[in-house]
């Protein structure tokens, strides 16, 4: 009498282990058994190393940014830069600047008199103060997105013919690459 393992059940060259499972050492084996996946020994180590590098790089950027010379108690303003990351100031801080831009436009269109120059000075002071508090800001204004840099450039342009002395004040707040030597005399 033969045992069930000695019988050929028509599968041909199927190699089975004593418990009737496919022998993983047989390269010609077919059936439902799956060979265990091989892991590369360095894959996990590489993933951990990459995560560590990203975390350290992020920490270095934050540390450099915090130590960039912008102390909160300083009275000097940090200059806006065209490549810096932006913040979004609260709407309550943007509203007075938005109103100042409209006031500047209305006053300059009306060919301002001496009394209105005081109003222009207040409006320019509002814009300059905002630019010092939020040197790298983006904010919604009318139907577009404004930035501190664009706010200063628009204000300077509006003041060129209307109040050149105030245009020069705005010009001095701009980053050096955006200043107009004709206004500041430099």
């Amino acid at each position: 009498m033969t045992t069930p393992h000695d019988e050929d059940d028509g599968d041909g060259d199927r190699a089975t282990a004593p418990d009737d499972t496919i022998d993983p050492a047989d390269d010609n084996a077919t059936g439902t058994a799956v060979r265990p996946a091989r892991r590369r020994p360095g894959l996990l180590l590489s993933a951990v190393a990459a995560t560590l590098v990203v975390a350290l790089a992020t920490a270095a950027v934050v540390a450099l940014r915090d130590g960039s010379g912008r102390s909160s108690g300083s009275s000097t303003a940090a200059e806006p830069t065209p490549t810096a990351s932006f913040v979004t100031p609260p709407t309550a801080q943007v509203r007075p600047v938005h109103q100042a831009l409209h006031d500047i436009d209305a006053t300059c269109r009306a060919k301002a008199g001496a009394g209105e120059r005081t109003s222009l000075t207040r409006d320019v002071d509002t814009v300059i103060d905002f630019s010092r508090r939020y040197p790298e800001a983006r904010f919604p204004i009318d139907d577009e997105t404004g930035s501190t840099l664009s706010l200063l450039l628009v204000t300077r342009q509006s003041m060129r013919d209307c109040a050149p002395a105030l245009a020069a004040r705005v010009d001095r707040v701009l980053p050096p690459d955006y200043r107009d030597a004709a206004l500041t005399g430099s």
Side-chain angles (χ1 to χ4, degrees):
M1 185 167 206
T2 61
T3 62
H5 293 289
D6 292 341
E7 295 178 2
D8 183 53
D9 45 343
D11 287 340
D13 54 17
R14 180 177 166 183
T16 57
D19 62 354
D20 207 34
T21 60
I22 295 179
D23 184 2
D26 183 17
D27 287 336
N28 293 326
T30 59
T32 59
V34 178
R35 292 184 184 181
R38 297 176 115 185
R39 294 185 187 253
R40 294 183 182 150
L43 185 60
L44 181 59
L45 182 60
S46 297
V48 170
T51 304
L52 183 60
V53 167
V54 170
L56 289 174
T58 303
V61 168
V62 169
L64 288 173
R65 191 154 217 209
D66 289 343
S68 66
R70 293 184 187 173
S71 60
S72 59
S74 174
S75 63
T76 60
E79 294 179 344
T81 60
T83 59
S85 61
F86 291 95
V87 297
T88 303
T91 303
Q93 299 294 318
V94 175
R95 199 172 297 124
V97 172
H98 185 192
Q99 186 60 46
L101 285 177
H102 286 294
D103 291 349
I104 287 170
D105 184 52
T107 302
C108 287
R109 285 179 190 244
K111 303 291 183 195
E116 293 170 335
R117 300 276 180 196
T118 305
S119 171
L120 284 174
T121 301
R122 270 195 313 268
D123 291 333
V124 167
D125 287 344
T126 299
V127 169
I128 291 172
D129 181 51
F130 178 87
S131 73
R132 288 183 174 149
R133 282 183 286 134
Y134 301 101
E136 296 157 358
R138 282 195 186 255
F139 45 89
I141 192 161
D142 289 332
D143 60 343
E144 54 190 67
T145 299
S147 68
T148 302
L149 179 61
S150 65
L151 171 69
L152 290 168
L153 291 170
V154 166
T155 303
R156 180 185 66 185
Q157 185 61 35
S158 297
M159 304 307 296
R160 278 186 193 274
D161 295 328
C162 185
L166 292 174
R169 280 188 58 213
V170 174
D171 194 69
R172 286 188 295 271
V173 177
L174 284 163
D177 291 346
Y178 294 89
R179 291 183 187 152
D180 185 353
L183 288 174
T184 57
S186 347

